[in-house]
Amino acid sequence: MSNFLLNAGRQTLLLELQEASRLPDRLDESFVRAAETIINCKGKLIVSGIGKSGHIGKKLAATFASTGTPAFFVHPAEALHGDLGMIDSRDVMLFISYSGSAKELELIIPRLEERNVVLLAMTGKSQSPLALAAAAVLDISVEREACPMHLAPTSSTVNTLMLGDALAMAVMQARGFSEEDFARSHPAGALGARLLNNVHHLMRKNEEVPQVSNDASVMDAMLELSRTGLGLVAVCNENGSVDGVFTDGDLRRWLVKGGTLNDAVNTAMTTGGVTLQAQERAIDAKEILMRHKISAAPVVDEHGRLCGAINLQNFYQAGIL
């Protein structure tokens, strides 16, 4: 039984791959016309389809929507019972139907024509009513389905998904859609956390920021270290600029070399040190800490004045790993 199941699975994959391998050679002027129609659309891309085509259509609508093209899925039956009201002349409809002769099309196509809505088709039948009414036709035809009974949509749904993805990716790249744009559509995801957060979104502020003046003592700095637990203290001048940092390591080294807690902190601190800009991307700031092999740093504003502090834990808590 196990060999039978493995062979059946492999045969399905091989048949679907064989059919899909023909798709690149089918891309022609019709594909370009479909892509340009979507790029120039002033409204929304409406994706529709029935059965397995509808399931693929929902995925494709989501892909377009997350890559810069406002899009949503409308079921043909729902369209005929009120949802056509969502569609106007600025929109484009992409209808998916392998046969291209779904009964609903008899009513949908005239309504789209009345509203001057451009129709794009994904179909396996080039002479079907859908194909003949469409401004551009994407060919998803297959020589055979992977289903041994040649009944269940298998190879054809793979073709639909792949050709739809090809269309979405071509449109996305033509729009110049970037990682930052993608992140704005996925603000709760890991990519959103990495690309949308700046240092000022994550940093400690106000009383949570460890700081002393440059005329403070080592004792003052040690107490500030203990109070905030960040592992460093920013040593600032009267203008609020950071002259240096005093860390747990600086304290140990100072005491080992014979220094006292009453000495001035500016004689024991690390002069200068690494500071981060409040407006820089959090992911870039984290890389700076990793590159310098430190766990925390003061944050300064555009005028170079201390405005916060941040450590690696703040990045990890925000999902920036």
Side-chain angles (χ1 to χ4, degrees), residues 7 10 14 59-60 62 91 121 167 169 175 212 217 220 232 238 289 296:
N7 288 335
R10 291 188 181 111
L14 289 171
K59 186 272 177 191
L60 292 179
D91 300 330
L167 183 62
M169 295 303 100
R175 292 187 191 281
V212 295
S217 67
D220 295 329
L232 67 76
E238 64 273 13
L289 295 186

Side-chain angles (χ1 to χ4, degrees), residues 47-61 73-76 95-98 157 160:
V47 184
S48 190
I50 302 171
K52 306 299 185 298
S53 295
H55 294 309
I56 300 297
K58 290 178 183 178
K59 186 272 177 191
L60 292 179
F73 177 83
V74 171
H75 191 281
F95 201 100
I96 306 170
S97 171
Y98 189 85
T157 52
T160 304

Side-chain angles (χ1 to χ4, degrees), residues 121-312:
M122 294 184 73
T123 182
K125 304 297 181 181
S126 61
Q127 296 302 309
S128 64
L130 172 61
L132 295 175
V137 179
L138 302 180
D139 183 5
I140 56 173
S141 64
V142 296
E143 292 183 4
R144 63 166 293 179
E145 298 285 7
C147 170
M149 296 179 292
H150 308 289
L151 296 176
T154 45
S155 301
S156 59
T157 52
V158 171
N159 275 13
T160 304
L161 179 60
M162 293 183 66
L163 197 50
D165 281 344
L167 183 62
M169 295 303 100
V171 170
M172 178 189 76
Q173 292 177 69
R175 292 187 191 281
F177 196 78
S178 66
E179 282 188 339
E180 286 78 7
D181 295 323
F182 188 87
R184 291 187 182 95
S185 300
H186 301 74
L191 183 62
R194 294 181 66 230
L195 297 180
L196 296 183
N197 281 313
N198 291 336
V199 170
H200 69 85
H201 293 126
L202 311 181
M203 69 184 187
R204 303 183 183 200
K205 302 174 184 177
N206 302 322
E207 294 302 314
E208 295 183 337
V209 181
Q211 57 182 304
V212 295
S213 62
N214 57 10
D215 59 358
S217 67
V218 173
M219 172 65 83
D220 295 329
M222 184 184 73
L223 293 175
E224 189 71 350
L225 279 173
S226 299
R227 182 184 73 83
T228 57
L230 191 65
L232 67 76
V233 174
V235 181
C236 301
N237 58 34
E238 64 273 13
N239 297 320
S241 300
V242 179
D243 287 343
V245 294
F246 183 77
T247 67
D248 293 328
D250 289 325
L251 175 60
R252 289 192 299 271
R253 286 186 290 271
W254 183 251
L255 295 177
V256 166
K257 68 190 293 186
T260 73
L261 296 178
N262 294 320
D263 294 323
V265 69
N266 57 19
T267 61
M269 70 181 184
T270 298
T271 303
V274 175
T275 58
L276 301 174
Q277 299 294 318
Q279 294 298 327
E280 68 184 318
R281 292 198 312 175
I283 184 62
D284 295 332
K286 176 178 173 287
E287 292 303 316
I288 292 173
L289 295 186
M290 299 297 289
R291 186 165 64 249
H292 287 87
K293 298 180 180 179
I294 57 177
S295 61
V299 180
V300 298
D301 61 19
E302 64 272 22
H303 304 295
R305 293 190 291 265
L306 181 72
C307 63
I310 197 166
N311 69 356
L312 290 175

